[in-house]
């Protein structure tokens, strides 16, 4: 009787472990939906200033464009370029004060201005978000410095 009790206990423990692993796998594969533009802006700021790259691939549209403008020249990059750059800075915490304001907002588009103030300069990003099939995505970032 004691052996059958132990066998039943082991079977239930294995079933529980299997259910836990399966549930965890489904949770990891679940796509994050960005239903609020402010949440997307906050996530982007956290990624760029705190190096937290979790969920990064879901923030940007397929046709995303990132433009950097400085005194010397202007460079343009795509979604893959930006994600590679941000992932290379994973865990890097920026020494800056960040704030943003909404420049324009309607049901389908939001334009925001983000300022990252460092000791010797300020990085300014104007970002455009669009509502694509009930999901907000960043589709353009224009970056400059002052």
């Amino acid at each position: 009787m004691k052996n059958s009790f132990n066998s039943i206990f082991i079977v239930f423990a294995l079933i529980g472990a299997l259910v836990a692993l399966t549930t965890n796998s489904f949770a990891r594969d679940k796509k994050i939906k960005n239903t609020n533009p402010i949440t997307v802006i906050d996530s982007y700021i956290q990624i760029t200033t705190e190096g937290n790259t979790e969920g990064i691939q879901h923030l940007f549209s397929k046709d995303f464009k990132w433009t950097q403008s400085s005194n010397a020249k202007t460079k343009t990059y795509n979604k893959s370029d930006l994600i590679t750059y941000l992932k290379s800075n994973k865990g890097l915490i920026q020494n800056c004060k960040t704030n943003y304001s909404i420049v324009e907002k309607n049901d389908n588009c939001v334009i925001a201005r983000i300022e990252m103030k460092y000791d010797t300069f300020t990085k300014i990003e104007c970002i455009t978000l669009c509502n694509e099939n009930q999901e907000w995505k960043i589709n353009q970032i224009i970056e400059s410095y002052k």
Side-chain angles (χ1 to χ4, degrees):
M1 175 115 148
K2 189 174 186 180
N3 284 339
S4 62
F5 178 72
N6 285 341
S7 297
I8 292 171
F9 178 75
I10 289 171
V11 168
F12 279 118
L14 289 173
I15 290 171
L18 182 61
V19 168
L21 287 172
T22 304
T23 304
N24 189 25
S25 175
F26 286 134
R28 266 186 281 132
D29 294 340
K30 185 177 180 184
K31 186 175 180 284
I32 300 166
K33 282 201 82 141
N34 300 313
T35 58
N36 182 330
I38 302 305
T39 303
V40 174
I41 294 168
D42 289 340
S43 295
Y44 173 72
I45 290 172
Q46 186 179 27
I47 287 167
T48 57
T49 61
E50 298 175 16
N52 179 2
T53 60
E54 186 176 335
I56 191 171
Q57 62 277 8
H58 302 295
L59 290 181
F60 306 100
S61 66
K62 291 178 185 173
D63 59 346
F64 170 81
K65 187 167 105 173
W66 172 35
T67 304
Q68 288 182 320
S69 179
S70 67
N71 292 337
K73 58 184 165 180
T74 299
K75 294 181 181 178
T76 301
Y77 304 94
N78 63 26
K79 177 180 178 176
S80 177
D81 296 329
L82 179 63
I83 289 175
T84 300
Y85 169 74
L86 292 172
K87 283 185 175 181
S88 73
N89 289 319
K90 182 177 182 175
L92 180 65
I93 297 175
Q94 299 290 321
N95 186 19
C96 64
K97 292 181 181 177
T98 305
N99 61 56
Y100 73 90
S101 61
I102 303 299
V103 177
E104 185 66 38
K105 181 179 180 182
N106 63 39
D107 291 341
N108 295 311
C109 289
V110 172
I111 301 171
R113 184 176 194 268
I114 301 170
E115 284 191 5
M116 297 174 207
K117 293 184 181 190
Y118 295 84
D119 288 340
T120 57
F121 68 95
T122 300
K123 178 177 160 180
I124 300 167
E125 293 182 329
C126 292
I127 68 172
T128 304
L129 298 90
C130 291
N131 189 347
E132 300 177 359
N133 301 317
Q134 305 302 312
E135 188 171 9
W136 287 90
K137 301 271 188 177
I138 299 172
N139 65 357
Q140 185 174 25
I141 299 173
I142 301 172
E143 181 179 296
S144 62
Y145 299 87
K146 71 174 184 178

